[in-house]
Amino acid sequence: MSSTNRSRDIERRAEYLQADQCLPPSSDNSMDRIWFIKDGCGLACAIVTWMLIFYAEFVVIFVMLVPAKDLLYSIINGIIFNTLAFLALASHSRAMLTDPGAVPKGNATKEFIESLQLKPGQVVYKCPKCCSIKPERAHHCSVCKRCIRKMDHHCPWVNNCVGENNQKYFVLFTMYIALISLHALIMVCFHFLYCFEEEWTKCSSFSPPSTVILLILLCFEGLLFLIFTAVMFGTQVHSICSDETGEEGRPGNGSTAISNSTPGNEMQLLSAPSHLGLTLH
């Protein structure tokens, strides 16, 4: 067990004493072919994320860059901003549509447990919620309804868990959003200075009130997302460097299996609030 795990009291529960209560996993599972979480809140957050990026694209291109007198300034900043926006959307898509490390559902059957050929005293864990053999450092997600290897947290903004297989895409997504937000804020500041020096009717193809409102909204969006994604990027980098996921860092989230020696070759199931230990004696 990982040194970061905390011990919990483990109690016996009669309802978990039958390993064959779990049904074998279905061979025709669409989640194994295409990973996509059907969660209303997550889908709404993902759509909002894309809409905010497209809004920033609209303001940067049509409010700030197209009316600019310096063509070289518009070309360079347009290339930088659009490249970062494309990379952010690509990373978001990969983080959302990549299996984060889901454990096969319903594999805690008697036949599968026997096929593991466990040695006497060896302990494995079973999740009572998705009925799967849980590897070390895996946690159950109530939204994905699966156990996820090295689960850090469930992020509604990418409509997916952040786990072993997609954490790199989530880190890149937060980094690109932080960079694009910082770039947008810098351009907004320069554009305001440009508009103060020139006439407002010449610094934008929109009316002065519309220009001010669009720039203020972009400034608010950029500042909010810069702070949020910079903090998330920092916590993810710290998690990677310390090799401790967000779930493991939560107090009292670990478990310790208890092995009681009994006569004979008997299978015992020891259940915890979120884990189920199996020992062979």
Side-chain angles (χ1 to χ4, degrees), residues 161-214:
C161 274
V162 178
E164 185 178 57
N165 295 341
N166 68 341
Q167 187 179 34
K168 55 187 174 183
Y169 302 123
F170 182 76
V171 172
L172 290 174
F173 169 67
T174 56
M175 182 185 71
Y176 291 135
I177 291 296
L179 291 175
I180 198 176
S181 300
L182 179 61
H183 187 211
L185 287 173
I186 293 174
M187 285 192 292
V188 168
C189 292
F190 278 110
H191 196 74
F192 266 123
L193 293 175
Y194 170 70
C195 289
F196 284 136
E197 293 177 356
E198 300 288 337
E199 295 182 8
W200 280 89
T201 55
K202 296 181 180 180
C203 70
S204 175
S205 56
F206 295 87
S207 64
S210 299
T211 302
V212 172
I213 292 174
L214 291 171

Side-chain angles (χ1 to χ4, degrees), residues 58-199:
F58 170 78
V59 177
V60 168
I61 294 175
F62 295 102
V63 177
M64 292 190 289
L65 296 183
V66 171
K69 294 182 179 180
D70 192 339
L71 182 61
L72 183 61
Y73 170 85
S74 299
I75 293 176
I76 293 176
N77 283 281
I79 292 175
I80 294 174
F81 189 87
N82 283 280
T83 300
L84 291 174
F86 172 78
L87 292 173
L89 292 175
S91 301
H92 183 273
S93 299
R94 293 300 299 270
M96 181 171 60
L97 301 176
T98 298
D99 182 349
V103 178
K105 191 174 184 178
N107 66 349
T109 60
K110 184 177 181 180
E111 294 76 13
F112 181 76
I113 294 172
E114 291 175 349
S115 69
L116 296 177
Q117 298 180 349
L118 299 176
K119 298 179 181 179
Q122 186 177 355
V123 177
V124 295
Y125 290 90
K126 169 190 169 185
C127 176
K129 297 179 181 178
C130 60
C131 213
S132 61
I133 297 298
K134 180 180 291 188
E136 187 177 353
R137 303 184 69 182
H139 298 274
H140 185 84
C141 175
S142 58
V143 179
C144 297
K145 296 180 175 59
R146 299 284 289 273
C147 285
I148 308 297
R149 295 182 180 89
K150 294 185 180 181
M151 173 183 168
D152 187 86
H153 68 288
H154 184 91
C155 179
W157 297 105
V158 297
N159 189 35
N160 202 0
C161 274
V162 178
E164 185 178 57
N165 295 341
N166 68 341
Q167 187 179 34
K168 55 187 174 183
Y169 302 123
F170 182 76
V171 172
L172 290 174
F173 169 67
T174 56
M175 182 185 71
Y176 291 135
I177 291 296
L179 291 175
I180 198 176
S181 300
L182 179 61
H183 187 211
L185 287 173
I186 293 174
M187 285 192 292
V188 168
C189 292
F190 278 110
H191 196 74
F192 266 123
L193 293 175
Y194 170 70
C195 289
F196 284 136
E197 293 177 356
E198 300 288 337
E199 295 182 8

